[in-house]
Structures are given as structure tokens and as C-alpha cells.
Amino acid sequence: MKTYLITGGCGFIGSNFIKYLFSKQENVFVINVDNLTYAGNYSNLQEFDNNKNYVFVRADIADKSAIEVIFEKYNIDFLVNFAAESHVDRSIVDPETFIKTNVLGTTNLLNIAKKNWMINNSDQYLEGKKYIQISTDEVYGSLGKEGLFTENTPLDPHSPYSASKASADLIVKSFYDTFKMPINITRCSNNYGPYQFPEKLIPLVISNCLNHENIPIYGDGMNIRDWLFVEDHCSAIDLVIDNGKLGEVYNIGGNNETTNIEMVKSIINYINKNVDENVDENLIRYVSDRKGHDRRYGIDASKIKADLGWSPLTQYSKGIIQTINWYLDNTDWLDEIKNGKYRKLAEKEVCS
Ligand code: NAD
Ligand code: TDX
């Protein structure tokens, strides 16, 4: 039985990852630490309420005593850090919150994991322990028309969000270089799928289509993102946890680049044909560009493919339809997430 401390498990990718873990093997114990910010939804994992191998703890990853108590109580094998402030637009308005969680929170987790896993202040660690930092392709900055990000591309973040993630990556790396702490860092491209907060482009477009609201396109709509179905991200992380070589960074991506406007139009057209003929491209509104807007992301995932045998299973054309249909089937989730009902429920009912 392996014990996973998952942080940020009530968010988009974390909740998909916990579902993935339990679907793949029953022989796991999961402690989900999440402080339920606006982006965290306790209800995403309510199906595990009565699972004896699942524990939810409401805590901030930057809270020393809360994290220490968890390490005292449980014999943690893997710490997988998903917890983060994750929205670029919010980081432009309020950078400090991003530094607190993404940089100081990560440092706190590293310090406490090191203290608990290191043997007698040496470079030796208890067998089988590992810290995995869930990072992003945004740390590499922006690409021109040609080329892809490899693990050796220099870090060149532009937004306070990506700068905070790059800072965290460097702190994680420093714990490997200085203390030989067992770590991996993963850097993934844009994810899409169920349970994504509707401030991010894909669920925002679906939600606005359903409500006949305008769809804001930043700048000329020609920025390019490399989309990966969230379950394929989860399978890659799972492989890195089990087989990633200590100290290594692994890029993860779907080799599926598209311009924002092309992607938005394809969603609108699918909804027009299959759901509501009153939804059409007239909803699109070109608005001022995001400050510091990265033009193009594209991941070279050849290292994780060659070294760990990973490959994505979901084609974008199928994954996007599956995703649109998930939001259509879960309009209650969309409505209630917007008014924060699930978070309020958790505040009342969940112990910390
Ligand atoms: P999200 O915003 O949906 O979820 C973040 C979760 O972390 C929420 O449940 C929130 O409550 C929790 N959280 C925030 N601050 C916390 C704190 N101080 N203490 C405890 N919990 C806290 O984010 P996501 O899209 O699921 O992203 C998860 C991770 O993956 C992030 O680290 C992000 O940088 C990275 N990532 C995301 C994408 C993407 O496309 N969404 C791509 C690559 C990497
Ligand atoms: O209303 C919008 N209009 C628009 O044109 C929004 C919300 C976004 N956009 C553009 C900006 C980006 O070019 O769409 C693209 C995607 O935007 P987001 O969904 O905000 O994602 P992005 O900024 O690319 O970052 C995402 O992927 C990498 C996640 O939010 C990050 O957490 C992850 O690290």
C-alpha cells in the first residue's frame, strides 16, 4: 500500500488525478490537502467520502504546523504538489497570492518532506520516497513560429503566474542539487477535460454558449496553445511517480497546437449543430489583449515517451466532444461552482 499526499486535490487536475489513481489501483491511500480557494471544490471528490483509503484535510500548503501534523500522522511515500494559484489573469491583478502559495507553499512542503524523509541529516533518504512538482510549460516563456520547448529550454516566464511556477521549480531543483532530495518536476501543456473552473478558456466558452453570453477573445485570437486531455496528463504523472529518474524534469504534451480562435469556433459550431442552433459565432467579441500574453506554446514530449514509454491516448477531436458533453451533462456543477456553493458546504461540513 502506497500513501500519497496530494495537494490541491479539489482543483481541476488534482481531482482528476485522485480519480485516476483509485480507478487504476485500489491499493493506495490518499490524503488530499486543499484549502478550498475559489478554485477548489470539495464536491469534485464527494464520491470518496466513505472510502477508508481517502482522507481530506482542509489546510494551506504554506501552513507549517498543518503539514507537519500530516507527516507525523501518516507515513507519506509520495508528495504530489498540484496546489497552486493557476490563473494567469488573476496573477496580473494580484501577484502576491501567487508568490505565497506557489513559491512559499512549495518551499514549506519541501522543507517538511525533507525533514521527515532524510536519514540522520545525511544525503540518504528513506527508501521509495519522492516529491513531485506539477509545473507548467509556461515557465519556458513564448515560442516563435518554429520549434518546441524541450526540458533544456531556458526558463523565461512572463506573467507573475509563470514566474511563480518557475521560481518554485528552481527551489525544487535546489533541494535535489543541495540535499539530494528525491524529486521530479513535470511541465505540461494546457489541459482540458471535466471539472475545470470556468474562468479558463474551454469551460468558459462552453458555459457562455449555454448561457448565450459573449465570448471574449484576447487580442487577435491567434495565440497558440498545445492542448492535452487531462486524463493523459494524469497517466504521465503516474508514470513519473513510479519510474521517473530522480532529479529529472519531464515535459508532457499532446502535440496538438491550435489557435484560440480556431478552437473557440470549433466549440461554438459543435454546440450549434448538436445542442442549440441559436448559439453561433456572433457571440465572439474581440477584447483587449492580456498583458504580456505569450504567443505560442508547444511541448516536445519525446523524453517522457522514450524514457518512460508514455503516450497520450485521447485524440483532441474525441476528447473535446467528451469534454463539451461532460459540461452539458453537469450544468448544475457549472452553476453552483460559479456561486461558490460547494465551497460553502465544505466550510460547514468538512473537518480540518
Ligand atoms: P486549479 O486552480 O483548478 O486547482 C488548484 C487547487 O489548489 C484548488 O483546489 C485550490 O483550492 C488549491 N489551492 C490553491 N492554493 C492552495 C493553498 N495555498 N493550499 C492548499 N491548496 C491550495 O488548478 P489546476 O488547473 O488543477 O492546476 C493544478 C496544477 O497543475 C497547478 O500547479 C498548475 O500550475 C499546474 N498546471 C496546470 C495546467 C492547466 O492547464 N490547468 C497545465 C500545466 C500545469
Ligand atoms: O476569456 C479568455 N479569452 C482568451 O482569449 C480567456 C480566459 C483566455 N483567452 C486566451 C488566453 C490564452 O491564450 O486563451 C488562451 C488560454 O487561456 P487560459 O485558459 O487562461 O490558459 P493559459 O493562460 O494558457 O494557462 C493555462 O495553461 C497552462 C492554465 O491556466 C495554467 O494553469 C497552465 O499552467
Side-chain angles (χ1 to χ4, degrees):
M1 170 85 79
K2 290 289 182 188
T3 300
Y4 291 70
L5 173 55
I6 310 279
T7 67
C10 293
F12 165 46
I13 306 175
S15 58
N16 277 285
F17 183 73
I18 291 174
K19 286 172 202 277
Y20 178 88
L21 261 187
F22 278 116
S23 72
K24 221 191 87 194
Q25 43 179 322
E26 277 171 12
N27 211 14
V28 291
F29 190 87
V30 172
I31 302 128
N32 171 16
V33 175
D34 196 303
N35 70 345
L36 298 173
T37 67
Y38 78 94
N41 293 283
Y42 177 73
S43 74
N44 290 359
L45 294 167
Q46 222 151 13
E47 70 203 73
F48 299 115
D49 269 357
N50 298 320
N51 186 326
K52 60 179 180 11
N53 287 358
Y54 174 78
V55 174
F56 174 74
V57 179
R58 186 170 192 186
D60 188 326
I61 58 165
D63 180 335
K64 287 195 177 73
S65 57
I67 304 299
E68 264 162 7
V69 166
I70 294 167
F71 269 88
E72 277 160 22
K73 194 163 172 192
Y74 301 100
N75 182 13
I76 311 287
D77 295 302
F78 303 124
L79 196 173
V80 194
N81 183 25
F82 291 92
E85 288 294 335
S86 69
H87 192 40
V88 174
D89 293 334
R90 286 178 190 259
S91 81
I92 295 166
V93 178
D94 172 23
E96 207 175 325
T97 312
F98 285 68
I99 306 304
K100 280 186 187 146
T101 288
N102 301 0
V103 185
L104 299 179
T106 297
T107 310
N108 186 45
L109 295 174
L110 286 163
N111 268 329
I112 294 171
K114 175 170 80 62
K115 196 175 95 186
N116 281 273
W117 291 345
M118 195 185 237
I119 301 169
N120 298 333
N121 213 16
S122 66
D123 281 348
Q124 304 294 313
Y125 286 78
L126 296 172
E127 184 70 25
K129 308 293 186 188
K130 196 191 272 189
Y131 176 100
I132 297 92
Q133 177 72 1
I134 308 303
S135 186
T136 169
D137 60 357
E138 299 201 15
V139 297
Y140 297 122
S142 186
L143 289 165
K145 284 198 170 67
E146 304 292 325
L148 295 171
F149 297 131
T150 73
E151 289 81 357
N152 296 322
T153 302
L155 302 187
D156 184 23
H158 297 128
S159 70
Y161 163 68
S162 54
S164 70
K165 293 294 289 185
S167 306
D169 284 13
L170 292 176
I171 307 278
V172 176
K173 178 184 177 298
S174 78
F175 271 62
Y176 178 75
D177 293 343
T178 307
F179 307 114
K180 304 287 176 285
M181 180 153 163
I183 61 102
N184 282 127
I185 297 170
T186 62
R187 295 187 182 137
C188 191
S189 61
N190 286 59
N191 285 212
Y192 68 96
Y195 300 104
Q196 188 168 28
F197 195 86
E199 64 186 352
K200 307 285 167 59
L201 186 62
I202 288 184
L204 177 95
V205 172
I206 300 169
S207 170
N208 285 16
C209 281
L210 298 182
N211 295 317
H212 295 182
E213 286 169 11
N214 290 338
I215 295 167
I217 300 288
Y218 299 163
D220 63 3
M222 296 304 284
N223 300 66
I224 290 174
R225 296 294 181 264
D226 178 2
W227 295 97
L228 181 72
F229 192 56
V230 64
E231 206 171 292
D232 284 322
H233 187 186
C234 294
S235 72
I237 293 167
D238 190 39
L239 272 178
V240 171
I241 294 171
D242 289 342
N243 302 320
K245 193 172 160 224
L246 297 185
E248 295 288 311
V249 175
Y250 293 94
N251 279 357
I252 305 166
N255 199 15
N256 180 59
E257 293 182 37
T258 166
T259 61
N260 293 337
I261 189 65
E262 192 186 346
M263 205 263 303
V264 168
K265 284 185 175 172
S266 76
I267 295 175
I268 293 175
N269 290 329
Y270 178 85
I271 293 180
N272 174 281
K273 285 203 180 67
N274 298 284
V275 186
D276 181 350
E277 62 184 17
N278 294 319
V279 169
D280 60 31
E281 291 177 11
N282 288 318
L283 288 178
I284 292 174
R285 292 286 179 280
Y286 285 91
V287 299
S288 311
D289 208 354
R290 173 184 276 173
K291 286 183 198 296
H293 197 176
D294 287 333
R295 193 65 172 168
R296 175 178 162 239
Y297 300 145
I299 277 280
D300 177 345
S302 51
K303 177 175 169 181
I304 191 171
K305 288 181 181 171
D307 292 3
L308 305 184
W310 175 78
S311 57
L313 295 179
T314 306
Q315 273 179 355
Y316 178 76
S317 56
K318 293 211 174 95
I320 192 68
I321 291 174
Q322 200 177 319
T323 301
I324 296 169
N325 287 330
W326 187 87
Y327 288 96
L328 290 174
D329 292 343
N330 290 278
T331 48
D332 288 356
W333 182 89
L334 266 180
D335 289 344
E336 296 192 358
I337 207 173
K338 282 186 188 162
N339 67 30
K341 182 180 161 201
Y342 289 143
R343 206 161 3 108
K344 283 181 204 133
L345 259 180
E347 273 161 22
K348 262 194 256 150
E349 294 173 8
V350 179
C351 62
S352 62

